[in-house]
Amino acid sequence: DAKTTQPPSMDCAEGRAANLPCNHSTISGNEYVYWYRQIHSQGPQYIIHGLKNNETNEMASLIITEDRKSSTLILPHATLRDTAVYYCIVRVARTSYDKVIFGPGTSLSVIP
Amino acid sequence: NAGVMQNPRHLVRRRGQEARLRCSPMKGHSHVYWYRQLPEEGLKFMVYLQKENIIDESGMPKERFSAEFPKEGPSILRIQQVVRGDSAAYFCASSPGGVHEQYFGPGTRLTVT
C-alpha cells in the first residue's frame, strides 16, 4: 500500500470549513483513498473513500486531484465534536484481505 | 442494528495473569480485525479473522497472543502471562466482506499492574 503524508496538526474555527490535505504521490491505479477519524479514546470511525472521482456523503467531501497524487477531506461546517485525529489511508480494497494500515494522521482542533 | 461490541471496556490484570478480550461483530459481519493502540502511539493491525479461520496474523506478537473467531459466539483475543508493555487500547473492527469500510468497536483498555 502506498505511503501517505499529512500535516501533524491543524486548527479550524467552529462553523468554518476544515480542509485536511493528504499527499500520496506513489499511489497505484488500483488503490483507493480512505479517510477515518478517531475522536479521543473512541474507536476509529470510517468517513469516506474514493478512487478518482470526488465523493460526498453526509459527513464530508473528498476531493482527489486529477493525477491522484493528493487529496483533501472537507468538513463543510466544523463543530467542536469534529475535534479528532484524521487518518488518510491508501490501500487496495480486496474483498478477501483488507486490513487498514494507519499512519500518525492529522490532529484537528476545532476552536470556538 | 447494534454496532460492534467489545467487553470488557476496561480490564486490569497483574503481571503474569491472562487477559481475554471479547468482540461481537455487527450482525451479518463475518470478518473481524483486531488492532492495538499503545499509549501515545498509532493504531497497529494485529490479526484478521473470518469465521473459524485466521486469515492474516502478521501483526500479532509471536508469543503469548492468540485470537479466535468461532462459528458461534464472539471473537476472542487472548493474552497469556501479561506484561506491563501489553497495557494498551485494543480495538476490534468488523465488516461483511466485499465492502470498503470497517466498523470499529469502542475498545478495551487493558492495564497491567
Side-chain angles (χ1 to χ4, degrees):
Chain A
D1 294 335
K3 180 179 169 58
T4 63
T5 304
Q6 298 177 253
S9 63
M10 292 181 63
D11 292 338
C12 177
E14 187 178 16
R16 305 296 293 269
N19 297 280
L20 292 93
C22 180
N23 286 319
H24 31 80
S25 59
T26 60
I27 192 170
S28 300
N30 62 346
E31 289 182 311
Y32 289 76
V33 180
Y34 292 77
W35 285 83
Y36 282 78
R37 74 179 182 183
Q38 186 177 23
I39 296 169
H40 181 63
S41 297
Q42 297 182 22
Q45 177 187 24
Y46 164 82
I47 301 173
I48 199 167
H49 75 276
L51 183 60
K52 52 185 174 182
N53 298 319
N54 297 338
E55 302 288 344
T56 295
N57 62 21
E58 66 279 2
M59 289 182 67
S61 294
L62 174 60
I63 309 298
I64 303 174
T65 58
E66 192 168 342
D67 63 7
R68 303 211 321 124
K69 293 186 177 182
S70 65
S71 60
T72 301
L73 179 75
I74 302 173
L75 308 179
H77 305 286
T79 71
L80 298 179
R81 288 177 294 180
D82 292 321
T83 292
V85 177
Y86 287 77
Y87 300 99
C88 171
I89 297 149
V90 170
R91 66 188 179 102
V92 177
R94 292 168 285 218
T95 58
S96 62
Y97 184 72
D98 50 359
K99 67 186 178 185
V100 179
I101 306 297
F102 290 89
T106 295
S107 178
L108 175 69
S109 296
V110 180
I111 302 167
Chain B
N1 189 7
V4 178
M5 298 176 67
Q6 291 188 247
N7 67 80
R9 296 290 306 276
H10 300 272
L11 181 62
V12 179
R13 284 288 179 266
R14 292 197 185 101
R15 280 179 297 169
Q17 291 184 319
E18 178 180 286
R20 292 171 70 89
L21 288 63
R22 296 175 185 77
C23 169
S24 296
M26 291 179 69
K27 186 176 181 180
H29 289 194
S30 59
H31 299 241
V32 166
Y33 312 80
W34 286 93
Y35 296 82
R36 178 167 68 172
Q37 189 167 35
L38 295 167
E40 307 304 323
E41 292 190 19
L43 288 145
K44 303 294 183 186
F45 166 79
M46 298 181 75
V47 62
Y48 162 34
L49 310 101
Q50 293 182 23
K51 284 286 186 181
E52 299 184 280
N53 290 304
I54 296 174
I55 306 302
D56 179 2
E57 55 182 348
S58 59
M60 287 278 271
K62 298 300 181 193
E63 298 178 348
R64 303 187 296 107
F65 285 72
S66 62
E68 63 177 8
F69 188 18
K71 187 176 180 181
E72 301 291 338
S75 175
I76 306 288
L77 180 67
R78 182 182 178 207
I79 311 172
Q80 295 178 289
Q81 299 175 342
V82 296
V83 301
R84 288 216 173 108
D86 297 332
S87 295
Y90 292 81
F91 293 97
C92 165
S94 75
S95 80
V99 298
H100 291 269
E101 59 266 33
Q102 295 180 12
Y103 298 88
F104 283 78
T108 293
R109 276 143 190 87
L110 172 65
T111 301
V112 179
T113 62

